[in-house]
Amino acid sequence: MESARTFFPIGRHSFQPGLKNNQRYRNSFGDLRLSRRYKRMVASMQSRRTGKAYHLGTSRTERAAIYRFLSNDRVTLAELIRHSTQLDTERVTGRDVLCLLNACSISLGLSSRNEVRLAWADECGVINNNRTAGFNVMPSLLLDRNSGDCLGMGDLLIYSRAIASSNKDERDVQRKLREALDIEHKESASWLYSARNTAMQLEAAMRCTFVMDQGGDQYEVLQHLLAQTGAEFIVRSKIDRQAKDLEQERYGKMSYHLSEQPIWDERLTPIRALNHYSKSSGEMVVRTARAAQLELRAIKVKLDKPRQLKKHTPLIDQPLYLVEVRENESTVPAGEKPIHWKLLTTWEVEDKITALQVVDAYRSRWHVEQLFRVLKKSGVDIEKSQLDKPEKIKKLLVMALKASVDAIRLTNVRSGESFVPIEEMFNEEDRKILVKMNVEMSSQGTKVINSHDPESLAWAAWVIARIGGWDGYQSQRPPGPITMQRGLQELDRARFYATIFRGP
């Protein structure tokens, strides 16, 4: 049975720091020089916003040191993940934290003609197309639900998917063997591993809620998550489960229970155009920009355990709430499917206000999608890395994700609705440069002016957005993480020239 297992994730759980006999302190990676190199590389990534190792160094000697670091066997992927996702306990204490979980595939193909990269598929696995070499990552991005402040990553899971057999009969046999495995040995447990690793760092938080898309909607995953973390969850349901309506005391499909509920709220909501490939079907999804008539319903349920699960699988005993957002057919363009979310949650939902809070929390998953945008083609561009080994690219990716969180953080604080001190991201030299840039980026009138507190991170975010290409008009679409990424690159150039002109 063990031979059927193909899921071997690496995350915070994979490295347990410890001291040897008579050892009082251990540097990162067991070496002070490696610890210092790691810090310099992360700082360089945060300022230069690149996923290419060659661009991280300014001299041949520095580049050689970077390549040695990535090649060093003492710099393990597991320890790198642990250091890059280590949270400051003070930053999460007493907060209502949303933990946004989502998976993303990283392609190592680079080019279909690259024979070396094609051979990597046997070594590191493949992405969803079962041909291109690559692996999967699942970061746990943390947000303060009240302020929107990005608190960092609680975990980062990296795992591979083996090449599936071209023979259908063989694939069917392997699938049945995997289905008989314990949940811990299945790829679906990625949600569980990441949740457990994150929850261990959030014991001081007021509340911890895991927000997951349809991939997390699995009975065993939800049951283990509740039992092992004690946290809350919001998951988009993809399965029309059998459940008991706890108010009407009747059994049936969740869709049936919802159809019997009155509409709690109805409103016209502007929807942006969207073209993307569905993760579940692989098909192109086209969504036309429109004002959609959205209807809100909710119900309290208790889930039935699926029949195909093993008898010893524990039950989910606690009641859950099901919140539905469905677009009225009157506003659905011809040939498109209506917007339809069914959100299963542990949060108590008693009225339309609490139901809308669940919807808003799920919508925050957009931030982790933006993180992937920054990481991939629109920002750090990790998939274009020229490194010669998959393991080196994975190490570089871990540090690139840590650096990319900065762009998300600036995006989230841009409104200035909550105060975050500027010194949490920028030092005194940076602030001097930002002050001069702010003067240049502000107009003589009042239409384009930085009205934020100069001591706040929102003030710095305004300047960064302006030098990143944002026009600064309130009527314009707010700057996103890619704009912030470009602005941070411009700030790094300004730092470089300031150092030259300042002299020794």
Side-chain angles (χ1 to χ4, degrees):
M1 187 63 69
E2 185 66 22
S3 62
R5 181 182 178 185
T6 59
F7 179 62
F8 300 94
I10 299 176
R12 286 185 60 83
H13 65 281
S14 306
F15 178 79
Q16 299 300 327
L19 299 177
K20 297 179 181 178
N21 292 334
N22 300 321
Q23 188 178 23
R24 295 183 179 180
Y25 177 78
R26 179 185 183 277
N27 289 297
S28 302
F29 316 109
D31 189 306
L32 179 60
R33 292 168 298 177
L34 292 176
S35 177
R36 288 173 175 169
R37 173 56 58 188
Y38 164 75
K39 293 177 181 177
R40 285 198 292 269
M41 286 182 65
V42 171
S44 182
M45 274 189 166
Q46 288 172 331
S47 61
R48 294 174 189 171
R49 328 311 296 177
T50 178
K52 300 178 179 67
Y54 181 84
H55 293 162
L56 294 177
T58 56
S59 65
R60 184 176 180 179
T61 301
E62 191 175 354
R63 293 187 189 107
I66 290 170
Y67 288 124
R68 286 198 303 271
F69 177 87
L70 295 172
S71 304
N72 198 312
D73 291 336
R74 299 181 74 175
V75 182
T76 65
L77 185 60
E79 185 169 1
L80 201 57
I81 289 174
R82 192 168 187 95
H83 284 296
S84 298
T85 59
Q86 188 64 42
L87 295 176
D88 182 351
T89 303
E90 291 185 4
R91 289 201 66 203
V92 299
T93 299
R95 299 222 196 191
D96 189 357
V97 182
L98 296 178
C99 310
L100 314 179
L101 303 183
N102 203 3
C104 173
S105 60
I106 303 296
S107 169
L108 300 180
L110 198 62
S111 169
S112 59
R113 300 176 183 175
N114 191 317
E115 294 182 2
V116 174
R117 291 288 180 102
L118 290 175
W120 284 1
D122 293 323
E123 179 181 348
C124 69
V126 292
I127 58 176
N128 295 344
N129 63 14
N130 200 40
R131 296 188 307 274
T132 307
F135 53 91
N136 296 290
V137 296
M138 178 178 281
S140 173
L141 186 66
L142 309 183
L143 297 184
D144 184 311
R145 188 179 79 85
N146 297 314
S147 68
D149 188 15
C150 182
L151 306 173
M153 290 188 296
D155 186 41
L156 175 59
L157 211 65
I158 297 181
Y159 57 96
S160 301
R161 181 177 294 164
I163 301 175
S165 171
S166 58
N167 184 287
K168 183 179 183 303
D169 292 336
E170 290 181 5
R171 291 200 305 271
D172 290 341
V173 170
Q174 287 297 315
R175 185 178 65 253
K176 291 179 180 178
L177 289 174
R178 288 196 300 271
E179 288 174 353
L181 292 171
D182 290 335
I183 182 66
E184 298 279 344
H185 298 161
K186 298 178 182 179
E187 188 175 313
S188 56
S190 56
W191 306 91
L192 184 57
Y193 276 96
S194 191
R196 276 199 310 243
N197 293 341
T198 301
M200 291 177 66
Q201 294 205 83
L202 295 177
E203 294 179 353
M206 181 188 75
R207 181 171 65 171
C208 168
T209 304
F210 291 99
V211 182
M212 303 173 284
D213 70 2
Q214 292 178 324
D217 182 28
Q218 300 177 64
Y219 190 94
E220 283 184 286
V221 170
L222 299 180
Q223 191 281 325
H224 280 71
L225 189 151
L226 290 173
Q228 297 178 15
T229 70
E232 312 273 356
F233 69 74
I234 298 171
V235 61
R236 184 178 176 187
S237 178
K238 68 175 180 180
I239 302 172
D240 193 10
R241 303 181 185 279
Q242 289 284 345
K244 180 181 180 181
D245 179 344
L246 294 179
E247 295 180 356
Q248 299 297 326
E249 293 291 327
R250 59 188 175 193
Y251 289 89
K253 294 281 190 179
M254 294 193 305
S255 58
Y256 167 71
H257 296 318
L258 286 169
S259 68
E260 296 294 307
Q261 294 297 306
I263 297 174
W264 286 23
D265 188 53
E266 190 172 14
R267 61 183 64 186
L268 274 175
T269 304
I271 302 296
R272 286 165 46 191
L274 181 67
N275 297 325
H276 71 102
Y277 286 97
S278 169
K279 288 184 178 180
S280 56
S281 66
E283 298 177 352
M284 171 62 79
V285 177
V286 178
R287 190 178 74 190
T288 306
R290 61 186 181 273
Q293 186 77 19
L294 300 182
E295 301 170 350
L296 180 72
R297 295 178 177 86
I299 191 172
K300 186 177 182 180
V301 298
K302 184 176 181 182
L303 301 183
D304 285 358
K305 186 172 78 171
R307 294 179 181 178
Q308 70 270 22
L309 294 183
K310 299 174 183 178
K311 292 183 179 180
H312 66 264
T313 303
L315 295 172
I316 298 178
D317 288 325
Q318 75 178 80
L320 303 176
Y321 292 83
L322 185 64
V323 179
E324 180 185 53
V325 177
R326 180 188 286 273
E327 183 178 5
N328 189 287
E329 295 290 342
S330 63
T331 61
V332 181
E336 293 189 27
K337 295 181 179 180
I339 295 169
H340 189 200
W341 290 355
K342 289 187 294 183
L343 306 177
L344 200 59
T345 182
T346 53
W347 286 11
E348 288 191 14
V349 179
E350 302 295 345
D351 50 36
K352 77 173 185 180
I353 294 177
T354 50
L356 288 171
Q357 288 174 351
V358 172
V359 175
D360 286 342
Y362 181 75
R363 288 176 58 199
S364 65
R365 278 190 62 260
W366 172 82
H367 293 93
V368 78
E369 297 288 355
Q370 293 290 75
L371 178 63
F372 292 149
R373 281 188 64 209
V374 173
L375 179 69
K376 298 176 82 172
K377 293 183 179 179
S378 298
V380 174
D381 208 2
I382 192 68
E383 291 183 327
K384 293 287 184 67
S385 174
Q386 299 282 349
L387 291 171
D388 60 351
K389 295 289 183 182
E391 193 68 13
K392 295 179 185 178
I393 295 178
K394 290 178 183 179
K395 293 177 182 179
L396 193 66
L397 174 134
V398 173
M399 292 184 283
L401 267 170
K402 179 178 174 62
S404 297
V405 169
D406 282 351
I408 302 298
R409 190 172 191 198
L410 285 173
T411 304
N412 291 4
V413 301
R414 66 194 174 196
S415 67
E417 292 179 2
S418 59
F419 180 83
V420 179
I422 190 173
E423 56 264 23
E424 288 199 10
M425 273 192 67
F426 300 104
N427 59 30
E428 191 59 35
E429 290 300 316
D430 292 337
R431 293 179 67 176
K432 291 178 181 178
I433 296 173
L434 288 170
V435 166
K436 293 181 179 180
M437 286 181 164
N438 183 60
V439 173
E440 294 296 321
M441 293 294 106
S442 300
S443 67
Q444 296 299 320
T446 58
K447 288 186 177 181
V448 181
I449 190 168
N450 193 346
S451 59
H452 299 292
D453 184 342
E455 299 297 319
S456 71
L457 195 55
W459 178 88
W462 189 94
V463 181
I464 296 295
R466 287 284 286 123
I467 62 177
W470 180 53
D471 287 343
Y473 291 96
Q474 294 300 318
S475 58
Q476 189 189 21
R477 182 176 169 181
I482 303 303
T483 300
M484 295 298 184
Q485 190 86 337
R486 289 196 298 263
L488 287 167
Q489 290 174 338
E490 293 299 321
L491 176 62
D492 182 59
R493 292 190 184 96
R495 287 194 194 104
F496 175 73
Y497 289 119
T499 302
I500 292 176
F501 290 123
R502 188 166 53 244

